[in-house]
Amino acid sequence: MNPGGVIGQRQADTITKAPTGDCVNGPPGISGDDASVIAGSLADPELFGELYHRYAAGIHRYAARRLSDAAAEDITADTFLTAFRARAKYDLSRSNALPWLYGIAANLIGRHRRDEVRALRAMARTGTDAVSHAWTDRSDSRIAAQAVQARLAAALAGLSEGDRHVLLLVAWADLEYQEVAEALSIPLGTVRSRLNRARKKVRLALGGADPTLVHDFWPAGAHG
């Protein structure tokens, strides 16, 4: 079977428009944990669509925050296409596939690291994005929010790619430390050390605020 032919064209694979009969975007409503769904999809590929319905929206939101709404559509589609093609290698002892999916997404986002850093540095200079909506109608609150956003963007741009992945998987994807370790295929101790290092740098930029709560300072889709 040709997975690409079953799933359809990548550009059509978005969270809003999916080709009819697509294995990635198949009908929702299947019971069982993620591992059961993946195991069943080996014989019935359309079952894999249940993972898309469970997790695509979250993956898209995460990618939009990291890159842009436009890029998030491709990242989301490619995440599930990659997962579909690799499903036979999935460790079925892990009932929750979300860390696996975020790991794939993080790897794809990493291919755009120059674009991400460039956008963060631009936001650090301006405190806002030209195409993003205002956070509030009150001008004083909006200015204060932009100032915080600028400091946060500068701090995130200054992190290494590995530290940024760990911090944002905790802060924006709400993964537990062990789930981050699974997502990035790194030891739990490495997750802790990277997170502590990133926290120190970002906490300084935010005037002591907890950097794992950066979603409080950063609107979804802020890059586009």
Side-chain angles (χ1 to χ4, degrees):
M1 182 179 66
N2 178 359
V6 172
I7 292 178
Q9 295 181 353
R10 180 177 62 86
Q11 293 299 326
D13 258 336
T14 69
I15 65 169
T16 55
K17 295 181 179 179
T20 303
D22 187 289
C23 289
V24 167
N25 301 328
I30 301 169
S31 61
D33 61 25
D34 298 341
S36 298
V37 171
I38 293 171
S41 75
L42 297 177
D44 184 356
E46 287 205 11
L47 294 180
F48 194 83
E50 176 63 17
L51 291 189
Y52 183 92
H53 288 285
R54 290 178 183 181
Y55 302 126
I59 296 291
H60 185 276
R61 283 193 300 271
Y62 179 73
R65 277 180 160 176
R66 293 290 302 266
L67 297 172
S68 68
D69 284 333
E73 293 185 357
D74 286 342
I75 294 294
T76 303
D78 287 345
T79 293
F80 285 91
L81 178 59
T82 300
F84 177 80
R85 289 173 170 168
R87 70 194 190 284
K89 298 179 181 179
Y90 182 76
D91 182 356
L92 295 176
S93 68
R94 296 179 175 177
S95 61
N96 181 10
L98 192 57
W100 177 55
L101 294 171
Y102 270 110
I104 295 171
N107 183 59
L108 294 170
I109 290 170
R111 299 178 185 177
H112 298 267
R113 59 185 178 275
R114 291 183 180 178
D115 293 335
E116 181 181 28
V117 171
R118 187 181 302 114
L120 286 168
R121 288 175 177 167
M123 192 169 291
R125 291 192 299 270
T126 65
T128 189
D129 184 82
V131 297
S132 65
H133 294 293
W135 294 8
T136 173
D137 291 334
R138 291 184 57 192
S139 59
D140 55 344
S141 297
R142 184 169 62 251
I143 291 171
Q146 290 173 356
V148 172
Q149 193 172 339
R151 295 197 300 270
L152 174 58
L156 292 177
L159 297 178
S160 69
E161 182 182 8
D163 289 358
R164 190 163 55 248
H165 276 323
V166 169
L167 176 65
L168 297 183
L169 283 171
V170 171
W172 289 350
D174 293 324
L175 296 189
E176 301 293 336
Y177 294 2
Q178 183 58 48
E179 291 175 328
V180 174
E182 293 175 10
L184 300 179
S185 299
I186 57 178
L188 181 58
T190 301
V191 171
R192 295 184 185 277
S193 63
R194 288 183 181 180
L195 185 59
N196 286 338
R197 185 165 54 240
R199 274 176 164 165
K200 289 178 181 178
K201 293 180 180 179
V202 179
R203 183 180 288 117
L204 181 62
L206 297 181
D210 184 353
T212 56
L213 299 178
V214 294
H215 53 76
D216 292 337
F217 308 110
W218 195 277
H223 293 325

